[in-house]
Amino acid sequence: MRESAQAGRDAEAVSKFVESFAAQLVEAGMQRMAARVFAALLSSDKGVLTSAELSEQLQISPAAVSGAVRYLAQTHMVSREREPGSRRERYRVHGDQWYEALTNREAVIKRWEGALREGVNSLGPDTPAGRRMAETLAFFEFIEGEIAAMMERWRAHRERTFGQG
Amino acid sequence: MRESAQAGRDAEAVSKFVESFAAQLVEAGMQRMAARVFAALLSSDKGVLTSAELSEQLQISPAAVSGAVRYLAQTHMVSREREPGSRRERYRVHGDQWYEALTNREAVIKRWEGALREGVNSLGPDTPAGRRMAETLAFFEFIEGEIAAMMERWRAHRERTFGQG
DNA sequence: CGCTTCTTTCAGAAATTTGTGAAGTTAAGG
DNA sequence: CCTTAACTTCACAAATTTCTGAAAGAAGCG
């Protein structure tokens, strides 16, 4: 018994959480494998797992892990690290930072703004549709600044509540 | 010439905007047809189009319009209305309200919170993973309140900038 | 009430996406 | 350098999703 690296933890409870949280992420638009890998990391003891551990725990191929991790790293939800002097890679969820990545939709917002700006120009700023788009554009520009301020307040709030843990 | 309901507007410019904005929405996770229908409404003169108009402008079947509109109505991005005394339905984008729907991820956030709460309980609030999830949970709870306040500020800002439009 | 017009539902064809095995690539360690 | 352990890429099979035509379902109007 208890021969796994996760000795002492209820494997079934972990798996249940992983699958249910992953399902929510999928529903919100995340790729399935990425969601499962991420949930597994989030519920792991140290917040770090190797490719092999993920592959075994989730019953997926190394190729699937590779694809999922690439996505998660690109979106800054996990970071990859090498154990020094080893070919083994480890993937880490940054605890207090991953959810900041969630709100960092800056790139997405920028592209929306771009498309809207083009729309305003090509339809004309004085047309009803142009005005509608201009207002939407203003909304996104407003939001962009607000989010930064909001995250600043969160960090302060977090400090108070959890310490610098 | 100019026999369409959109007389006086550059159909090609409209189409170009529709497709490029829709592409951004798709990339952010929206269904393709829903994205196209929504973009068409956003760039329409009055912010209102009938099912037939959408079907023709986007070159899609009535069935596709039906599916797209159902999704958009569910997510409060458009509303449906009946022309009084007609079987014809009209779909409207609410100008200043659709993007509020975008930020109204309340249902999504609630479900995430539910999954996280369960995770904290089943893994134990005193385990490292439990603490990590509790912090994430606190983040979402914080965000929920902040977003409401942010939208309040936006409405004030909008009033100043655009009048009550 | 029945006719007509518009919308929705449904089954299926087509296209897309997903995850795998296998080959390819990189780098540690003898 | 050569071997070996790991990760990545690629082509393909399977599963899923998407969109359509056709038929069924509402609702106005005579």
Side-chain angles (χ1 to χ4, degrees):
Chain A
M1 293 281 139
R2 298 273 161 76
E3 64 260 279
S4 91
Q6 307 259 330
R9 310 177 72 223
D10 180 346
E12 196 174 331
V14 173
S15 172
K16 197 154 164 267
F17 167 76
V18 167
E19 296 308 326
S20 85
F21 192 59
Q24 301 305 330
L25 294 174
V26 168
E27 195 156 341
M30 192 183 292
Q31 301 163 7
R32 180 200 308 252
M33 286 296 121
R36 298 219 298 148
V37 164
F38 181 74
L41 280 168
L42 192 63
S43 60
S44 71
D45 207 40
K46 298 214 161 29
V48 178
L49 292 173
T50 65
S51 183
E53 287 166 338
L54 285 165
S55 180
E56 195 213 307
Q57 182 182 335
L58 300 174
Q59 294 288 317
I60 58 181
S61 71
V65 174
S66 174
V69 159
R70 177 174 33 182
Y71 172 83
L72 292 169
Q74 269 172 3
T75 56
H76 306 289
M77 295 186 65
V78 310
S79 60
R80 3 174 37 136
E81 21 183 273
R82 261 295 162 71
E83 296 178 37
S86 160
R87 295 142 299 250
R88 200 165 240 158
E89 224 158 31
R90 303 191 311 183
Y91 309 112
R92 157 166 277 135
V93 53
H94 261 98
D96 60 323
Q97 290 181 342
W98 78 264
Y99 44 73
E100 301 211 10
L102 257 197
T103 63
N104 255 344
R105 313 303 292 162
E106 195 165 332
V108 174
I109 293 184
K110 288 285 189 209
R111 280 193 315 243
W112 288 20
E113 289 181 358
L116 285 166
R117 216 166 265 128
E118 229 180 272
V120 173
N121 284 336
S122 64
L123 291 193
D126 300 326
T127 62
R131 275 192 291 276
R132 194 178 309 121
M133 287 188 250
E135 185 184 319
T136 299
L137 179 54
F139 172 72
F140 285 122
E141 287 168 346
F142 179 83
I143 286 299
E144 235 179 320
E146 286 285 311
I147 286 183
M150 180 173 76
M151 290 312 290
E152 213 36 74
R153 285 192 294 278
W154 159 252
R155 283 182 210 104
H157 176 72
R158 175 177 171 277
E159 191 87 0
R160 263 179 277 120
T161 312
F162 297 94
Q164 46 218 330
Chain B
M1 295 274 136
R2 297 274 160 82
E3 64 257 280
S4 88
Q6 306 259 334
R9 309 176 73 224
D10 179 345
E12 195 174 331
V14 173
S15 172
K16 194 153 165 269
F17 167 75
V18 166
E19 297 307 326
S20 85
F21 192 60
Q24 301 304 329
L25 294 174
V26 168
E27 194 155 342
M30 191 182 293
Q31 301 164 8
R32 179 199 311 248
M33 287 295 121
R36 298 218 297 149
V37 164
F38 181 75
L41 279 167
L42 192 63
S43 60
S44 72
D45 208 37
K46 298 211 162 30
V48 178
L49 292 173
T50 66
S51 182
E53 287 166 337
L54 285 165
S55 180
E56 195 213 306
Q57 183 183 334
L58 300 174
Q59 293 289 316
I60 59 180
S61 72
V65 174
S66 174
V69 159
R70 177 173 34 179
Y71 172 84
L72 292 170
Q74 269 171 3
T75 56
H76 306 288
M77 294 186 66
V78 311
S79 59
R80 3 173 37 136
E81 23 182 274
R82 260 300 160 67
E83 297 178 36
S86 161
R87 294 140 303 251
R88 200 164 241 159
E89 223 159 31
R90 303 191 310 186
Y91 309 111
R92 157 165 279 134
V93 55
H94 262 99
D96 61 325
Q97 288 179 344
W98 77 264
Y99 43 73
E100 300 212 10
L102 257 198
T103 63
N104 256 343
R105 311 305 291 164
E106 195 165 330
V108 174
I109 292 184
K110 288 285 188 207
R111 280 193 314 244
W112 288 21
E113 289 181 358
L116 284 168
R117 218 167 264 126
E118 229 180 275
V120 173
N121 284 334
S122 65
L123 290 194
D126 300 326
T127 62
R131 276 193 289 277
R132 195 180 306 121
M133 287 188 246
E135 185 183 318
T136 300
L137 180 54
F139 172 73
F140 285 122
E141 287 168 345
F142 179 83
I143 288 297
E144 235 180 319
E146 287 284 313
I147 286 182
M150 180 173 76
M151 290 312 291
E152 214 36 74
R153 286 193 292 278
W154 158 251
R155 283 182 210 102
H157 177 73
R158 175 177 169 275
E159 192 86 359
R160 265 179 273 121
T161 313
F162 296 94
Q164 45 219 331

